[in-house]
Short mmCIF file of all heavy atoms in Angstrom, two decimals:
data_model
loop_
_atom_site.label_atom_id
_atom_site.label_comp_id
_atom_site.label_asym_id
_atom_site.label_seq_id
_atom_site.Cartn_x
_atom_site.Cartn_y
_atom_site.Cartn_z
N PRO A 281 31.00 59.21 110.36
CA PRO A 281 29.59 59.15 110.37
C PRO A 281 28.91 60.22 111.12
O PRO A 281 27.86 60.69 110.92
CB PRO A 281 29.35 57.74 111.20
CG PRO A 281 30.61 57.51 111.80
CD PRO A 281 31.68 58.12 111.07
N GLU A 282 29.71 60.90 112.20
CA GLU A 282 29.07 61.92 112.85
C GLU A 282 28.76 63.16 112.02
O GLU A 282 27.89 63.91 112.19
CB GLU A 282 30.04 62.28 114.03
CG GLU A 282 30.01 61.29 115.19
CD GLU A 282 30.83 60.03 114.89
OE1 GLU A 282 31.61 60.11 113.85
OE2 GLU A 282 30.73 58.99 115.64
N VAL A 283 29.86 63.37 111.10
CA VAL A 283 29.66 64.51 110.06
C VAL A 283 28.49 64.39 109.13
O VAL A 283 27.79 65.14 108.87
CB VAL A 283 30.97 64.87 109.41
CG1 VAL A 283 30.80 65.89 108.26
CG2 VAL A 283 32.05 65.22 110.43
N LEU A 284 28.39 63.17 108.69
CA LEU A 284 27.39 62.84 107.75
C LEU A 284 25.89 62.83 108.32
O LEU A 284 24.95 62.74 107.64
CB LEU A 284 27.58 61.46 106.99
CG LEU A 284 28.91 61.41 106.23
CD1 LEU A 284 29.11 59.96 105.75
CD2 LEU A 284 28.75 62.41 105.12
N LYS A 285 25.84 62.95 109.66
CA LYS A 285 24.50 62.85 110.31
C LYS A 285 23.94 64.32 110.31
O LYS A 285 22.70 64.44 110.42
CB LYS A 285 24.57 62.56 111.80
CG LYS A 285 24.98 61.09 112.02
CD LYS A 285 25.10 60.76 113.54
CE LYS A 285 25.38 59.26 113.76
NZ LYS A 285 25.56 59.06 115.25
N SER A 286 24.72 65.36 109.92
CA SER A 286 24.21 66.77 109.80
C SER A 286 23.70 66.96 108.33
O SER A 286 24.49 66.78 107.39
CB SER A 286 25.34 67.69 110.05
OG SER A 286 24.91 69.06 109.96
N GLN A 287 22.46 67.36 108.26
CA GLN A 287 21.85 67.62 107.03
C GLN A 287 22.52 68.82 106.23
O GLN A 287 22.68 68.89 105.05
CB GLN A 287 20.43 67.87 107.07
CG GLN A 287 19.59 67.96 105.79
CD GLN A 287 19.70 66.72 104.98
OE1 GLN A 287 19.67 65.58 105.50
NE2 GLN A 287 19.85 66.81 103.64
N LEU A 288 22.87 69.93 107.05
CA LEU A 288 23.52 71.04 106.49
C LEU A 288 24.78 70.63 105.80
O LEU A 288 25.14 71.18 104.65
CB LEU A 288 23.68 72.12 107.62
CG LEU A 288 24.41 73.31 107.13
CD1 LEU A 288 23.54 74.08 106.07
CD2 LEU A 288 24.62 74.31 108.38
N ILE A 289 25.55 69.78 106.57
CA ILE A 289 26.86 69.28 106.01
C ILE A 289 26.75 68.65 104.70
O ILE A 289 27.43 68.81 103.64
CB ILE A 289 27.63 68.61 106.96
CG1 ILE A 289 28.08 69.44 108.12
CG2 ILE A 289 28.88 67.97 106.32
CD1 ILE A 289 28.83 68.78 109.19
N ILE A 290 25.64 67.83 104.66
CA ILE A 290 25.38 67.02 103.43
C ILE A 290 25.03 67.95 102.31
O ILE A 290 25.44 67.71 101.09
CB ILE A 290 24.17 65.97 103.73
CG1 ILE A 290 24.60 65.02 104.77
CG2 ILE A 290 23.66 65.37 102.43
CD1 ILE A 290 23.52 63.99 105.16
N ASN A 291 24.19 69.06 102.51
CA ASN A 291 23.92 70.00 101.47
C ASN A 291 25.15 70.73 100.99
O ASN A 291 25.22 71.08 99.87
CB ASN A 291 22.91 70.99 102.06
CG ASN A 291 21.56 70.26 102.34
OD1 ASN A 291 21.16 69.27 101.79
ND2 ASN A 291 20.79 70.89 103.25
N LEU A 292 25.97 71.03 102.04
CA LEU A 292 27.24 71.76 101.52
C LEU A 292 28.08 70.89 100.68
O LEU A 292 28.73 71.36 99.80
CB LEU A 292 27.91 72.28 102.86
CG LEU A 292 27.30 73.41 103.67
CD1 LEU A 292 28.04 73.67 104.89
CD2 LEU A 292 27.25 74.64 102.81
N ILE A 293 28.18 69.62 101.13
CA ILE A 293 28.94 68.71 100.27
C ILE A 293 28.41 68.56 98.92
O ILE A 293 29.21 68.58 97.85
CB ILE A 293 29.14 67.34 101.02
CG1 ILE A 293 29.80 67.44 102.35
CG2 ILE A 293 29.63 66.23 100.10
CD1 ILE A 293 29.80 66.02 103.18
N GLU A 294 26.98 68.55 98.82
CA GLU A 294 26.50 68.40 97.51
C GLU A 294 26.85 69.74 96.69
O GLU A 294 27.04 69.69 95.41
CB GLU A 294 24.95 68.20 97.62
CG GLU A 294 24.63 66.90 98.14
CD GLU A 294 23.05 66.65 98.31
OE1 GLU A 294 22.39 67.56 98.13
OE2 GLU A 294 22.58 65.56 98.66
N GLN A 295 26.75 70.91 97.26
CA GLN A 295 27.10 72.16 96.66
C GLN A 295 28.53 72.13 96.24
O GLN A 295 28.80 72.64 95.20
CB GLN A 295 26.73 73.28 97.72
CG GLN A 295 26.97 74.71 97.08
CD GLN A 295 26.58 75.90 98.04
OE1 GLN A 295 26.15 75.52 99.14
NE2 GLN A 295 26.79 77.08 97.60
N ARG A 296 29.39 71.62 97.13
CA ARG A 296 30.76 71.62 96.77
C ARG A 296 31.03 70.68 95.45
O ARG A 296 31.79 71.02 94.67
CB ARG A 296 31.56 71.01 97.91
CG ARG A 296 33.07 71.02 97.73
CD ARG A 296 33.75 70.33 98.80
NE ARG A 296 33.40 68.88 98.86
CZ ARG A 296 33.88 68.01 99.66
NH1 ARG A 296 34.71 68.39 100.71
NH2 ARG A 296 33.48 66.76 99.78
N VAL A 297 30.30 69.62 95.36
CA VAL A 297 30.50 68.78 94.33
C VAL A 297 30.06 69.46 92.99
O VAL A 297 30.55 69.43 91.86
CB VAL A 297 29.65 67.44 94.53
CG1 VAL A 297 29.69 66.53 93.25
CG2 VAL A 297 30.38 66.62 95.65
N THR A 298 28.95 70.23 93.17
CA THR A 298 28.41 70.97 92.05
C THR A 298 29.41 72.11 91.43
O THR A 298 29.68 72.22 90.27
CB THR A 298 27.06 71.67 92.31
OG1 THR A 298 26.22 70.64 92.71
CG2 THR A 298 26.51 72.43 91.02
N VAL A 299 29.97 72.78 92.38
CA VAL A 299 30.93 73.78 92.05
C VAL A 299 32.13 73.23 91.51
O VAL A 299 32.73 73.68 90.47
CB VAL A 299 31.34 74.66 93.35
CG1 VAL A 299 32.45 75.60 92.98
CG2 VAL A 299 30.06 75.48 93.87
N GLN A 300 32.54 72.04 92.10
CA GLN A 300 33.82 71.42 91.46
C GLN A 300 33.55 70.95 90.15
O GLN A 300 34.43 70.92 89.20
CB GLN A 300 34.29 70.19 92.47
CG GLN A 300 34.84 70.60 93.70
CD GLN A 300 35.24 69.56 94.63
OE1 GLN A 300 34.73 68.27 94.44
NE2 GLN A 300 36.08 69.72 95.56
N ARG A 301 32.36 70.35 89.76
CA ARG A 301 31.96 69.89 88.44
C ARG A 301 32.05 71.03 87.36
O ARG A 301 32.59 71.05 86.34
CB ARG A 301 30.63 69.25 88.42
CG ARG A 301 30.37 68.69 87.08
CD ARG A 301 28.93 68.07 87.03
NE ARG A 301 28.82 66.90 88.05
CZ ARG A 301 28.11 67.06 89.17
NH1 ARG A 301 27.29 68.21 89.32
NH2 ARG A 301 27.95 66.09 89.98
N ALA A 302 31.42 72.17 87.93
CA ALA A 302 31.34 73.36 87.02
C ALA A 302 32.71 74.01 86.72
O ALA A 302 33.07 74.33 85.51
CB ALA A 302 30.50 74.40 87.45
N LEU A 303 33.50 73.94 87.75
CA LEU A 303 34.89 74.45 87.65
C LEU A 303 35.75 73.62 86.63
O LEU A 303 36.50 74.00 85.86
CB LEU A 303 35.60 74.46 89.01
CG LEU A 303 37.05 75.04 89.06
CD1 LEU A 303 37.03 76.46 88.49
CD2 LEU A 303 37.58 74.98 90.51
N ALA A 304 35.51 72.25 86.81
CA ALA A 304 36.20 71.35 85.87
C ALA A 304 35.87 71.50 84.41
O ALA A 304 36.61 71.56 83.51
CB ALA A 304 36.04 70.00 86.31
N GLU A 305 34.49 71.70 84.21
CA GLU A 305 34.07 71.99 82.83
C GLU A 305 34.58 73.30 82.18
O GLU A 305 34.97 73.22 80.99
CB GLU A 305 32.57 71.86 82.82
CG GLU A 305 31.87 70.52 83.14
CD GLU A 305 30.44 70.50 83.30
OE1 GLU A 305 29.87 71.71 83.26
OE2 GLU A 305 29.79 69.60 83.38
N LEU A 306 34.55 74.30 82.93
CA LEU A 306 34.99 75.55 82.42
C LEU A 306 36.51 75.61 82.30
O LEU A 306 37.03 76.38 81.39
CB LEU A 306 34.49 76.73 83.20
CG LEU A 306 32.93 76.92 83.28
CD1 LEU A 306 32.68 77.97 84.37
CD2 LEU A 306 32.45 77.29 81.95
N SER A 307 37.16 74.84 83.20
CA SER A 307 38.71 75.01 83.03
C SER A 307 39.11 74.31 81.77
O SER A 307 40.32 74.62 81.36
CB SER A 307 39.31 74.19 84.33
OG SER A 307 38.97 74.77 85.41
N ALA A 308 38.37 73.56 81.11
CA ALA A 308 38.75 72.98 79.87
C ALA A 308 38.75 74.13 78.73
O ALA A 308 39.39 73.82 77.70
CB ALA A 308 37.82 71.81 79.49
N THR A 309 37.98 75.03 78.86
CA THR A 309 37.83 76.07 77.76
C THR A 309 38.35 77.43 78.14
O THR A 309 38.60 78.28 77.31
CB THR A 309 36.33 76.17 77.33
OG1 THR A 309 35.61 76.56 78.48
CG2 THR A 309 35.81 74.84 76.78
N LEU A 310 38.41 77.70 79.45
CA LEU A 310 38.66 79.05 79.85
C LEU A 310 40.04 79.05 80.51
O LEU A 310 40.55 77.94 81.12
CB LEU A 310 37.69 79.69 80.80
CG LEU A 310 36.28 79.81 80.24
CD1 LEU A 310 35.35 80.30 81.26
CD2 LEU A 310 36.33 80.78 79.06
N LEU A 311 40.71 80.13 80.52
CA LEU A 311 42.03 80.29 81.26
C LEU A 311 41.96 80.38 82.78
O LEU A 311 40.83 80.86 83.22
CB LEU A 311 42.83 81.52 80.64
CG LEU A 311 43.16 81.39 79.07
CD1 LEU A 311 43.71 82.78 78.75
CD2 LEU A 311 44.16 80.25 78.98
N PRO A 312 42.83 80.11 83.52
CA PRO A 312 42.71 80.23 84.95
C PRO A 312 42.35 81.70 85.40
O PRO A 312 41.78 81.81 86.46
CB PRO A 312 44.02 79.78 85.48
CG PRO A 312 44.61 78.83 84.40
CD PRO A 312 44.18 79.44 83.10
N SER A 313 42.78 82.59 84.60
CA SER A 313 42.63 84.08 85.02
C SER A 313 41.22 84.59 84.59
O SER A 313 40.90 85.80 84.90
CB SER A 313 43.64 84.94 84.41
OG SER A 313 43.59 84.84 83.01
N HIS A 314 40.37 83.72 84.01
CA HIS A 314 39.10 84.17 83.55
C HIS A 314 38.26 84.46 84.83
O HIS A 314 38.32 83.68 85.85
CB HIS A 314 38.44 83.14 82.87
CG HIS A 314 37.24 83.55 82.02
ND1 HIS A 314 36.02 83.53 82.57
CD2 HIS A 314 37.19 84.11 80.80
CE1 HIS A 314 35.10 84.08 81.74
NE2 HIS A 314 35.78 84.35 80.60
N PRO A 315 37.36 85.47 84.95
CA PRO A 315 36.56 85.92 85.97
C PRO A 315 35.72 84.80 86.40
O PRO A 315 35.44 84.59 87.68
CB PRO A 315 35.80 87.03 85.42
CG PRO A 315 36.62 87.65 84.30
CD PRO A 315 37.38 86.53 83.67
N ARG A 316 35.07 84.03 85.48
CA ARG A 316 34.20 82.90 85.91
C ARG A 316 35.03 81.90 86.64
O ARG A 316 34.44 81.36 87.63
CB ARG A 316 33.48 82.30 84.57
CG ARG A 316 32.54 81.23 84.83
CD ARG A 316 31.41 81.66 85.76
NE ARG A 316 30.47 80.56 86.05
CZ ARG A 316 29.58 80.57 86.96
NH1 ARG A 316 29.51 81.72 87.72
NH2 ARG A 316 28.80 79.69 87.07
N ILE A 317 36.20 81.65 86.24
CA ILE A 317 37.02 80.63 86.86
C ILE A 317 37.33 81.11 88.30
O ILE A 317 37.25 80.38 89.34
CB ILE A 317 38.29 80.31 86.11
CG1 ILE A 317 37.91 79.67 84.78
CG2 ILE A 317 39.22 79.29 86.95
CD1 ILE A 317 37.22 78.30 84.81
N GLN A 318 37.62 82.41 88.34
CA GLN A 318 37.98 82.95 89.63
C GLN A 318 36.71 82.86 90.62
O GLN A 318 36.74 82.77 91.86
CB GLN A 318 38.48 84.40 89.52
CG GLN A 318 39.79 84.53 88.81
CD GLN A 318 40.95 83.93 89.55
OE1 GLN A 318 40.94 84.00 90.78
NE2 GLN A 318 41.84 83.43 88.83
N GLN A 319 35.61 83.25 90.11
CA GLN A 319 34.40 83.12 90.88
C GLN A 319 34.06 81.66 91.41
O GLN A 319 33.70 81.66 92.54
CB GLN A 319 33.19 83.68 90.05
CG GLN A 319 31.87 83.64 90.78
CD GLN A 319 30.71 84.09 89.84
OE1 GLN A 319 30.72 84.39 88.69
NE2 GLN A 319 29.53 84.00 90.46
N LEU A 320 34.17 80.74 90.60
CA LEU A 320 33.96 79.36 90.98
C LEU A 320 34.96 78.90 92.10
O LEU A 320 34.57 78.24 92.99
CB LEU A 320 34.00 78.38 89.76
CG LEU A 320 32.82 78.53 88.83
CD1 LEU A 320 33.06 77.64 87.60
CD2 LEU A 320 31.59 78.23 89.45
N ARG A 321 36.17 79.25 91.84
CA ARG A 321 37.19 78.94 92.92
C ARG A 321 36.87 79.58 94.26
O ARG A 321 37.00 78.99 95.36
CB ARG A 321 38.56 79.33 92.47
CG ARG A 321 39.09 78.44 91.42
CD ARG A 321 40.47 78.92 91.00
NE ARG A 321 41.03 77.95 89.91
CZ ARG A 321 42.28 78.10 89.35
NH1 ARG A 321 42.97 79.14 89.60
NH2 ARG A 321 42.59 77.22 88.50
N SER A 322 36.32 80.81 94.25
CA SER A 322 35.90 81.54 95.46
C SER A 322 34.80 80.83 96.20
O SER A 322 34.66 80.66 97.36
CB SER A 322 35.54 83.03 95.21
OG SER A 322 35.17 83.70 96.26
N GLU A 323 33.81 80.42 95.20
CA GLU A 323 32.66 79.61 95.81
C GLU A 323 32.98 78.38 96.45
O GLU A 323 32.58 78.01 97.51
CB GLU A 323 31.63 79.48 94.69
CG GLU A 323 30.85 80.73 94.19
CD GLU A 323 29.92 80.48 93.03
OE1 GLU A 323 29.77 79.26 92.82
OE2 GLU A 323 29.21 81.44 92.72
N LEU A 324 34.02 77.67 95.81
CA LEU A 324 34.44 76.33 96.35
C LEU A 324 35.13 76.50 97.68
O LEU A 324 35.03 75.83 98.61
CB LEU A 324 35.45 75.73 95.39
CG LEU A 324 36.01 74.36 95.74
CD1 LEU A 324 34.83 73.34 95.98
CD2 LEU A 324 36.94 73.87 94.72
#
C-alpha cells in the first residue's frame, strides 16, 4: 500500500501495462529481432 500511495508510481505502472500490451500484440506478428520489438523492450 505504501508504493500505491505515490501517484508517479501509479502512472509508471499504467505506462508499463501499456508497453507490455503493445509488446504482446507486436510479438504475434514480428520477430524478436525487429526494431519495434527491441524499442518496446527498452521502454519496458
Side-chain angles (χ1 to χ4, degrees):
E282 287 76 14
V283 172
L284 294 177
K285 289 180 181 179
S286 175
Q287 186 62 39
L288 179 58
I289 293 178
I290 294 175
N291 294 334
L292 291 173
I293 291 174
E294 291 177 355
Q295 185 178 354
R296 184 189 62 181
V297 172
T298 303
V299 173
Q300 286 178 343
R301 184 184 301 112
L303 180 62
E305 291 176 354
L306 293 176
S307 296
T309 57
L310 299 177
L311 294 174
S313 59
H314 192 275
R316 181 60 179 164
I317 296 297
Q318 295 294 331
Q319 180 185 358
L320 290 175
R321 287 179 177 177
S322 177
E323 291 180 1
L324 180 61

